[in-house]
Amino acid sequence: MVLLTRHRLRKTLLFLFFGTSILLAVFMFYDRFSLKKASASNIFWENSPVSEIKKWINVADNEGETRGGTKTPFERKDIKRENKTVELSLDRADVDDAITLTEVPQKDVIKSKGKATTPVPQDAKEMGKEEQEEGEKEDGNVTEKQQCEPKNHVMFLKTHKCGSSTVQNIFLRYAYKRNLTLALPASGNYLGSPNPFQASMVPMTLLPENKLVDIFAVHTRLNYQQHSKVLYRDTKWVTIVREPTALYESLYSFYEMKRYYGFGLANFMNMDLETLEKFPRYAKKLGRNQMLFDFGYSPDADVAELRRALDDLDKIFDLVMVVEFMDESLVLLRHLLCWSQEDVLVFTKNARREKFKSSLDIRTKRVLRTINSADGILYDHFVTRHIKKVLEFGVEKMGKEVAALRALREKYRRRCVTRETGGLDSDLLYPEYSDLVNAYIVANRSDTECRLLSMPEIPLLMQVREAQRRRLHPFPPPPPRARKNEMKSAVDPYEFLEFN
């Protein structure tokens, strides 16, 4: 009897031991799998449906603070722009793990978990107007609607080869149609670079009496204190970033830097990194870590300097757009400024045509990413910030707005564009400066909106510059011969467009 009792006790203990071991193993496997799924840093961003983000939201909520739309301890703080010196001393943790954010489907429906579909609004313009009414408050039978006021004061830092000419077109059109004052150079399209911006660079003939501008949207090198001298205190600060390998390849090809350095990108993998990092900047302003340079910092910044730069930029910029998620960025821009869908509608500008784009092998890409490592950290940081903003905005809401924006763009493309062509096509109303980039043959040259949407950067800047001169300081226009030398076109660039 005693032996039987001991035998049963032994079996029970063995059963409990093995059972506990199995449960512990399952728990450890599940925990490791969850952590692996929730941590997706340093991802190379590719396009796939944005609705995939939804599956991360529950994981983010469990993690606690940063993913699901709650405030973070390093959120942007207000800056007193009336002071000449600005303290930028916000403590910040390491760059957060990124969540894979991808593109919304271009179809007319947004799919959610394989269930019912939500149709795109038939009239995207109506959606834009409805979205401007925010903050509904219900009190019994009374409903108050607080109208969102459009923001007319914007600082757009135009970064090189980051799709910034496309975004610039939005701001130039908006300012021109509303007689707003732009920060403009006397000629060309730069206000500072390679030297940081100085307020004295803006010509007095293009400034109003208070010496402040409504919108700044030309190439410049960031100098916060000096930029603030020509901007209103309530100005919204915006910029745009791009994946550094793609940026550098575009920069090298677009500016034909092969002629300057004597070899192409394919030769980079045969050279040591120290040599590559000592290359002088092309025209003293173009080279590695280009985004960091445009932001006003040294391209050779060390880790401590880079951390301070990220802290500063987080506090300065209200919105950092991302090229790889352009449409989502445009939606965020629209809501930041309380503009309509048509205000942020744009055709791609200054983009190389497909036949002029070069493909790089994986080893060359790794070399380019290495020599642009500071830009890589900066880019990953702002992609993570972009993802958080999308999650806070709402994934399904973002999907609907992106689809509506694309539908509106397609509508205007059918209305405005006969065909897309090279930049020097003889049929162009406003030719580009090179055949490398795309341009648009306008279907109806009398359609003012279509002309503005299709105009390249330089002709549009000439248009708005002359209009601003005449409005602020009227004087006789320059002689016709001087105008022809500045811009060769079959159409007089100073034939002003009228708006109803």
Side-chain angles (χ1 to χ4, degrees):
M1 186 68 179
V2 174
L3 291 175
L4 183 61
T5 302
R6 288 180 179 177
H7 179 68
R8 288 178 178 176
L9 180 61
R10 188 181 303 165
K11 288 178 64 178
T12 302
L13 290 174
L14 287 173
F15 176 80
L16 290 174
F17 174 78
F18 285 113
T20 304
S21 300
I22 292 171
L23 288 174
L24 182 61
V26 171
F27 175 80
M28 291 177 64
F29 174 80
Y30 176 79
D31 185 59
R32 180 175 296 180
F33 177 78
S34 299
L35 289 174
K36 183 177 180 181
K37 182 177 180 181
S39 176
S41 59
N42 298 325
I43 293 174
F44 184 81
W45 302 94
E46 299 289 347
N47 289 332
S48 61
V50 71
S51 56
E52 290 295 317
I53 308 174
K54 293 171 63 178
K55 68 185 181 182
W56 295 97
I57 295 178
N58 291 333
V59 176
D61 289 339
N62 292 334
E63 287 180 352
E65 279 198 315
T66 62
R67 297 286 192 260
T70 56
K71 294 183 179 180
T72 67
F74 45 88
E75 203 169 35
R76 181 188 182 280
K77 293 183 178 179
D78 291 331
I79 297 176
K80 295 181 179 179
R81 294 180 179 136
E82 68 271 19
N83 296 335
K84 291 185 178 180
T85 59
V86 181
E87 293 186 4
L88 301 172
S89 58
L90 180 63
D91 292 333
R92 191 188 186 287
D94 291 333
V95 176
D96 293 325
D97 289 341
I99 303 172
T100 306
L101 172 65
T102 47
E103 190 179 2
V104 179
Q106 297 187 19
K107 298 181 180 180
D108 290 342
V109 295
I110 307 299
K111 294 184 178 180
S112 174
K113 296 182 180 179
K115 296 181 181 180
T117 59
T118 304
V120 175
Q122 293 183 358
D123 191 347
K125 290 172 61 178
E126 289 182 7
M127 181 177 182
K129 293 177 181 177
E130 290 173 1
E131 289 291 339
Q132 284 191 340
E133 296 182 352
E134 295 183 350
E136 288 194 9
K137 298 180 180 179
E138 294 189 3
D139 183 12
N141 297 325
V142 180
T143 301
E144 286 184 19
K145 288 188 177 181
Q146 297 179 338
Q147 188 73 19
C148 177
E149 293 294 332
K151 312 298 189 299
N152 290 337
H153 300 150
V154 183
M155 166 66 196
F156 174 60
L157 183 68
K158 191 174 186 294
T159 47
H160 287 86
K161 306 314 297 174
C162 290
S164 59
S165 293
T166 299
V167 181
Q168 180 197 51
N169 180 266
I170 292 172
F171 294 121
L172 296 184
R173 285 173 21 234
Y174 186 90
Y176 184 64
K177 291 189 287 186
R178 291 163 179 79
N179 286 329
L180 301 179
T181 302
L182 288 152
L184 297 168
S187 62
N189 59 342
Y190 275 84
L191 275 173
S193 190
N195 297 322
F197 174 79
Q198 299 293 322
S200 58
M201 292 177 176
V202 184
M204 296 298 294
T205 55
L206 293 171
L207 284 174
E209 291 183 4
N210 65 3
K211 296 180 175 58
L212 298 178
V213 299
D214 297 306
I215 294 178
F216 195 121
V218 293
H219 273 303
T220 187
R221 192 170 179 211
L222 182 61
N223 185 350
Y224 178 81
Q225 296 176 12
Q226 289 293 315
H227 277 102
S228 297
K229 289 183 178 181
V230 299
L231 297 167
Y232 289 89
R233 288 180 57 190
D234 63 349
T235 295
K236 296 296 183 182
W237 290 63
V238 180
T239 189
I240 188 167
V241 296
R242 183 182 184 184
E243 196 283 315
T245 302
L247 186 157
Y248 193 83
E249 185 278 324
S250 178
L251 195 75
Y252 205 90
S253 173
F254 190 85
Y255 289 101
E256 298 182 332
M257 292 163 69
K258 178 179 179 179
R259 295 183 180 181
Y260 178 69
Y261 293 120
F263 48 83
L265 290 174
N267 299 99
F268 275 40
M269 61 183 176
N270 300 322
M271 305 175 69
D272 60 272
L273 294 177
E274 186 176 353
T275 301
L276 293 173
E277 290 175 348
K278 290 182 179 179
F279 279 177
R281 301 192 78 78
Y282 178 71
K284 297 183 178 180
K285 60 186 175 186
L286 303 172
R288 65 187 188 87
N289 292 324
Q290 186 63 47
M291 290 185 290
L292 194 62
F293 183 83
D294 288 339
F295 284 132
Y297 299 94
S298 168
D300 299 311
D302 59 25
V303 174
E305 292 172 327
L306 188 56
R307 181 180 292 279
R308 287 195 295 270
L310 291 175
D311 290 344
D312 293 353
L313 297 173
D314 265 342
K315 291 186 291 183
I316 290 173
F317 286 99
D318 298 282
L319 176 65
V320 179
M321 305 172 68
V322 181
V323 172
E324 286 72 17
F325 312 111
M326 178 64 84
D327 288 334
E328 291 89 346
S329 296
L330 290 175
V331 170
L332 293 176
L333 176 68
R334 184 174 83 79
H335 282 267
L336 173 69
L337 302 179
C338 196
W339 289 3
S340 70
Q341 287 272 9
E342 286 194 326
D343 290 333
V344 299
L345 170 72
V346 69
F347 295 158
T348 303
K349 295 284 184 298
N350 205 26
R352 280 179 303 162
R353 300 159 68 190
E354 286 298 326
K355 67 179 182 179
F356 294 114
K357 293 181 180 180
S358 57
S359 58
L360 302 175
D361 61 68
I362 189 65
R363 290 185 297 171
T364 304
K365 288 181 178 179
R366 286 173 180 166
V367 172
L368 296 185
R369 183 76 182 204
T370 302
I371 65 174
N372 291 283
S373 57
D375 264 6
I377 294 172
L378 184 146
Y379 173 78
D380 289 343
H381 171 79
F382 285 120
V383 168
T384 303
R385 174 173 156 171
H386 171 83
I387 291 168
K388 291 176 184 176
K389 284 187 175 291
V390 171
L391 291 173
E392 292 169 1
F393 184 84
V395 177
E396 290 190 11
K397 181 181 177 183
M398 176 63 74
K400 292 177 183 178
E401 293 221 15
V402 166
L405 180 61
R406 289 174 176 169
L408 184 62
R409 183 187 301 133
E410 184 58 31
K411 175 182 174 181
Y412 269 84
R413 186 179 291 274
R414 291 194 301 267
R415 164 182 158 182
C416 297
V417 179
T418 301
R419 61 185 172 90
E420 194 169 335
T421 184
L424 297 179
D425 193 302
S426 59
D427 291 334
L428 284 169
L429 180 61
Y430 297 100
E432 283 276 7
Y433 55 88
S434 170
D435 204 48
L436 289 173
V437 298
N438 67 325
Y440 305 95
I441 304 293
V442 179
N444 182 2
R445 296 191 175 190
S446 63
D447 190 322
T448 297
E449 195 64 37
C450 289
R451 288 176 66 176
L452 287 175
L453 280 167
S454 66
M455 286 178 79
E457 176 184 359
I458 300 301
L460 185 52
L461 280 172
M462 291 171 59
Q463 180 83 50
V464 300
R465 182 187 294 119
E466 187 62 17
Q468 190 161 305
R469 272 202 189 107
R470 292 184 179 185
R471 187 178 74 253
L472 297 176
H473 306 284
F475 62 89
R481 181 172 298 179
R483 285 183 276 153
K484 286 184 179 179
N485 290 337
E486 187 176 0
M487 180 63 197
K488 297 179 181 179
S489 174
V491 178
D492 184 356
Y494 295 100
E495 178 188 343
F496 288 94
L497 309 179
E498 299 294 333
F499 293 91
N500 297 326

